[in-house]
Amino acid sequence: MSAVPPSPVPSPEAPAEPRGAVDRFFEITRRGSTVAAEVRGGVVTFVTMAYIVILNPIILSTTADIDGTRLDFAQLSAATGLTAAVMTILFGLVARLPFGFAAGLGINAFLAFSVVGEVTWAEAMGLVVINGLIIVLLSATGLRRMIFDAVPMQLKLAITVGIGLFIAFIGLVNAGFTTATGSDSPPVGLGVGGSVATIPTLIFVVTLLLTAILVGLKVKGGILIGLVTGTVIAVVVEAIWHLGPKVSGDTVNPGGWGLTEPKLPEQLLAVPDLSLVGQVDLFGAFGRIGVLAALMLVFTLVFTNFFDAMGTLTGLSKEAGLADADGNFPRLKSALIVEGVGAVAGGLTSGSSNTVFIESGAGIGEGARTGLANIVTGLLFAVAMFFTPLVSIVPTEVAAAALVIVGALMMSQIRHIDLTDFTALFPVFVTVTVMPMTYSIANGIGAGFISWVLIRSFAGKAREISPLLWIVTAGFVVFFARGPIEALLAG
């Protein structure tokens, strides 16, 4: 499934000998990896995730809270980098898996566009902390693991495939290859007016094809080579034609670059401003909007955080070849606990809930199999706090190519799903399609769970369904109906 297929774990008859303390701690040799592959994978994961240092502040700083307060962009960028660095390294040391952490895009958008219209930013981050504490409690007691185990293998595989399509779709949208048409039929289209009409999108296509060729030829570092080559081309193109950004103030330049402009910055070094750290009001929202309304917000945060992370962990562990036949992977309980800690840390730093990033699949595609890759990624995030202008050199269009490649690699898991039984086929289909179409991993998982329980029950297979899956499915029904429920509570 990955560019360099994961090597099988050596059999007990021929155990691999670790090469030093680092190898022994991270189990590098035992997982069929090398230090070079881990470093390379860690760098690639950082490159594909680095945009979050820019995008998270853009999302969170655009909206004023109920008191009219806006978060500062530079402070948000520093907080985003700090939390990503700490959580990525912590996860690498505790769970010893190559899964990078950063501010979750679903939750930060929910906070910016739904929550702070009712509460202050400090109160919103307090809700994020409470959400994280609940997830840590569920993980520590084993309930989260029980829910994880209750999910049928077909749905776990469907989640992996769905995430693959989701991140590929993210890449196509970020590159401007897929755009909204502004009409009902069809809602999306190709590029500008049905054509690849901009230079940044053309560079995406070139980078994508180059990377695909390298991965197809099993060239070591193929994804990283593609990213570096695409970035160099983009820098040269920008230096010659001065395309500029797509959006600058009120000016829109359809032929410009998306999120980041590939040009060498005048200032490379900047001291990070960490003033937002600790700006949290833990229970203020309960007093401002009432206990029931605040609990509904927490419920939404927990469900989104919980199942986005579960889906991502499942998909990445399968991608890395670390999951067993039931979808379980090494140090699962520790991974789930640390993931919950990421939500707490994100709230405490005002950078929004931090969670496992699906872009880690790019590093896995480069051969990363252990937490050592996370150490590399985390250290680069720490450095990025001081070199935010330099991090922004990689244009979104180039990073998007890696996401599409990883999406294609993850799609291969569909071969393990038995699609001859329609009672399994339909929930799998719903899970895979709803994720990219609604831009939400949690929505895809919820739709898959509900359809699985209903269809399998009416097919006479209700006894095969875990009681926990029934409970979670009922929770998802509430999750999907939360808008009317919130309106009812408000009335």
Side-chain angles (χ1 to χ4, degrees):
M1 180 169 65
S2 58
V4 180
S7 302
V9 176
S11 64
E13 290 77 21
E17 290 295 330
R19 303 168 184 173
V22 173
D23 190 339
R24 189 178 303 108
F25 180 79
F26 289 108
E27 301 176 341
I28 298 173
T29 300
R30 194 170 75 84
R31 295 186 187 177
S33 184
T34 64
V35 172
E38 297 301 309
V39 172
R40 190 170 62 243
V43 171
V44 168
T45 293
F46 169 75
V47 171
T48 57
M49 289 177 61
Y51 71 88
I52 196 63
V53 178
I54 306 297
L55 182 56
N56 192 47
I58 287 177
I59 293 173
L60 295 181
S61 66
T62 54
T63 307
D65 65 17
I66 195 170
D67 288 344
T69 301
R70 292 179 184 271
L71 299 181
D72 180 75
F73 186 96
Q75 292 175 351
L76 280 170
S77 182
T80 301
L82 172 65
T83 316
V86 172
M87 288 310 308
T88 298
I89 292 174
L90 179 64
F91 191 81
L93 291 174
V94 176
R96 303 177 200 175
L97 296 167
F99 307 162
F101 269 65
L105 291 178
I107 288 184
N108 63 7
F110 176 66
L111 291 173
F113 305 122
S114 299
V115 177
V116 296
E118 303 179 51
V119 299
T120 67
W121 273 111
E123 291 164 352
M125 293 303 168
L127 294 177
V128 172
V129 172
I130 293 172
N131 146 67
L133 292 173
I134 292 173
I135 292 176
V136 169
L137 180 63
L138 292 174
S139 302
T141 57
L143 182 58
R144 194 177 187 187
R145 171 68 182 270
M146 291 170 64
I147 295 173
F148 189 92
D149 291 340
V151 179
M153 192 59 204
Q154 293 98 316
L155 286 182
K156 288 181 179 179
L157 291 170
I159 289 169
T160 303
V161 176
I163 290 175
L165 288 180
F166 181 35
I167 63 176
F169 187 57
I170 290 174
L172 293 172
V173 171
N174 287 352
F177 191 86
T178 299
T179 55
T181 61
S183 61
D184 293 332
S185 181
V188 294
L190 171 65
V192 179
S195 303
V196 178
T198 69
I199 293 178
T201 303
L202 177 61
I203 290 177
F204 157 76
V205 173
V206 171
T207 305
L208 177 62
L209 292 176
L210 172 63
T211 308
I213 292 170
L214 293 172
V215 172
L217 294 175
K218 294 183 172 56
V219 175
K220 289 186 177 180
I223 295 178
L224 180 58
I225 293 172
L227 287 170
V228 173
T229 303
T231 300
V232 171
I233 294 173
V235 170
V236 172
V237 166
E238 175 60 23
I240 296 174
W241 282 293
H242 305 289
L243 302 177
K246 184 173 293 184
V247 179
S248 180
D250 296 329
T251 303
V252 178
N253 172 22
W257 302 95
L259 183 62
T260 53
E261 198 176 346
K263 62 180 182 180
L264 295 174
E266 296 179 0
Q267 181 182 356
L268 297 180
L269 183 65
V271 178
D273 184 349
L274 300 175
S275 301
L276 288 178
V277 176
Q279 299 299 313
V280 180
D281 186 341
L282 196 58
F283 300 107
F286 290 85
R288 184 182 296 273
I289 63 176
V291 174
L292 287 177
L295 286 176
M296 278 305 300
L297 293 177
V298 172
F299 174 82
T300 303
L301 287 170
V302 169
F303 249 71
T304 303
N305 216 143
F306 189 110
F307 288 100
D308 267 14
M310 192 189 82
T312 305
L313 287 167
T314 300
L316 292 177
S317 62
K318 292 294 293 183
E319 168 73 2
L322 298 175
D324 61 21
D326 296 320
N328 298 314
F329 52 87
R331 298 180 181 85
L332 174 55
K333 183 176 182 179
S334 298
L336 295 176
I337 291 175
V338 176
E339 196 281 326
V341 172
V344 177
L348 291 176
T349 58
S350 298
S352 184
S353 176
N354 271 231
T355 187
V356 181
F357 250 53
I358 51 179
E359 283 84 349
S360 304
I364 292 171
E366 279 298 332
R369 296 291 179 273
T370 79
L372 180 59
N374 264 35
I375 307 302
V376 175
T377 303
L379 290 175
L380 289 174
F381 265 118
V383 172
M385 288 194 298
F386 298 88
F387 293 92
T388 301
L390 189 62
V391 172
S392 64
I393 287 180
V394 181
T396 308
E397 291 80 2
V398 170
L403 300 186
V404 175
I405 293 294
V406 172
L409 294 172
M410 296 182 74
M411 182 73 183
S412 67
Q413 284 297 311
I414 200 169
R415 71 186 186 275
H416 299 301
I417 304 176
D418 181 7
L419 302 179
T420 59
D421 180 0
F422 189 79
T423 64
L425 168 61
F426 185 77
V428 166
F429 170 77
V430 168
T431 302
V432 170
T433 55
V434 169
M435 279 189 198
M437 289 183 179
T438 64
Y439 238 62
S440 168
I441 295 174
N443 286 348
I445 295 174
F449 281 14
I450 292 172
S451 58
W452 178 277
V453 167
L454 288 177
I455 294 175
R456 303 282 285 191
S457 296
F458 279 101
K461 301 178 180 180
R463 293 184 178 180
E464 299 177 6
I465 302 173
S466 165
L468 268 178
L469 196 59
W470 280 96
I471 296 172
V472 173
T473 298
F476 265 117
V477 171
V478 176
F479 175 74
F480 285 130
R482 65 189 183 279
I485 292 174
E486 289 172 357
L488 182 63
L489 291 175

